Amino acid sequence: MARYEVFVPAAPPKVPMDLTLRLEADHWLGALKTGLKRLGQPHMANNVLCDIQADGSIHVTDPDSHRVFRIVEVPDATPAQPQRTVTPPLPMPAVSAAPAPAAPPRPALTPVPRAGQGPAPATGRPAPQPARPAPRPSGHADQVVETRTPISTPAQSIGRLGLSVKAEDVLAELFLEVSELGRIQDRRAGLGFTLDTAMRIIGCEAGSVFTTDLGRSDLSFAVVRGPSAGKLEALGMKVPIGVGLVGFCAQENVGVAVSDAEKDPRFYRAVSEATGYQTRSLLCAPMARHGQVVGCLEVLNKKGGKPFDQKDLAVLSYLAAQAAAFLGRFDT
């Protein structure tokens, strides 16, 4: 199994501070699930915002808590860290230290007078500085935890996102439009309607609907949209489950968003090479019914060169669930 470094943002009280765990797992998603389990955290939703960064790390966003986790595979050459117990540090003896350099003088502050009062005289004193919070306690004693920030981690890209996207807002926007799917009687037409809705609302250049039969080990193109749709349909290509980003999505039943597909080693280049269509960004969501993946809904190349965000994932995940329910009507 591979070794991974998993950054877990703080979630008091069980995770009082940002932590970094080193774990062994079959893949990055397994490492994340194992890390959350060890810390007593709830399981993440199946559909999460996942993106590959330029440094090869994987950033996974939980749409419910808006926490951003970072997973990076540790090279084989890195020696394994021995299991150890994290204990509170022993008190350090007092030592004399060189005096810190004097801070530059602060300008005098003039209090703002209240209504009906004359201006208050300047005291020449700087405003009192708030006390620094005491350091938080270390992690649980039964985990191998390093309380340090991973290397090459942009401070603004992990932790918690300020954007709050409520699932009910997305559902309210799509409910009336998707209700039209219940009146469509043709299988291909219904899947095409779902894909067209996703591409229009998210704003993408191309997309595909993949389906798979029970017991089969590959995904077939059921509906294709975009500049190379005709070529792709004529080729009749299939994507093995577990291969490429869409294959990973189907195998793990998890949504995947990638802002630069060429940087992701899982990207299946055979389709792009066969059609001559360049895939830049990609968003894929599994179509699952009763825990069984029956296909995937995928959109490519968000217009304007923007990366996919949490709202895009919520839209595609909802439409993928509706497409899975629609396919259930044709089961015999």
Side-chain angles (χ1 to χ4, degrees), residues 140-180:
H140 299 285
D142 57 346
Q143 284 94 37
V144 179
V145 180
E146 300 175 6
T147 56
R148 61 181 178 85
T149 304
I151 299 175
S152 303
T153 301
Q156 286 111 358
S157 64
I158 61 175
R160 288 183 178 270
L161 295 182
L163 176 64
S164 178
V165 179
K166 294 183 178 180
E168 55 266 28
D169 294 339
V170 178
L171 298 181
E173 181 182 350
L174 294 175
F175 180 77
L176 292 178
E177 188 161 0
V178 176
S179 64
E180 179 67 23

Side-chain angles (χ1 to χ4, degrees), residues 297-317:
L297 182 59
E298 178 188 71
V299 291
L300 307 175
N301 297 346
K302 189 171 180 179
K303 295 178 180 178
K306 298 179 180 179
F308 294 107
D309 56 28
Q310 294 183 51
K311 183 178 180 181
D312 299 331
L313 177 63
V315 168
L316 198 69
S317 299

Side-chain angles (χ1 to χ4, degrees), residues 235-295:
L235 289 171
M237 297 182 66
K238 296 180 183 294
V239 178
I241 292 179
V243 174
L245 289 164
V246 66
F248 177 85
C249 174
Q251 183 180 57
E252 301 297 333
N253 191 15
V254 63
V256 177
V258 176
S259 57
D260 191 344
E262 291 292 338
K263 293 179 180 178
D264 194 319
R266 298 168 300 174
F267 178 58
Y268 189 51
R269 291 172 174 78
V271 177
S272 295
E273 292 172 355
T275 60
Y277 182 73
Q278 181 183 8
T279 300
R280 299 185 301 276
S281 57
L282 179 151
L283 177 63
C284 184
M287 295 157 39
R289 189 172 67 254
H290 306 304
Q292 178 70 38
V293 175
V294 296

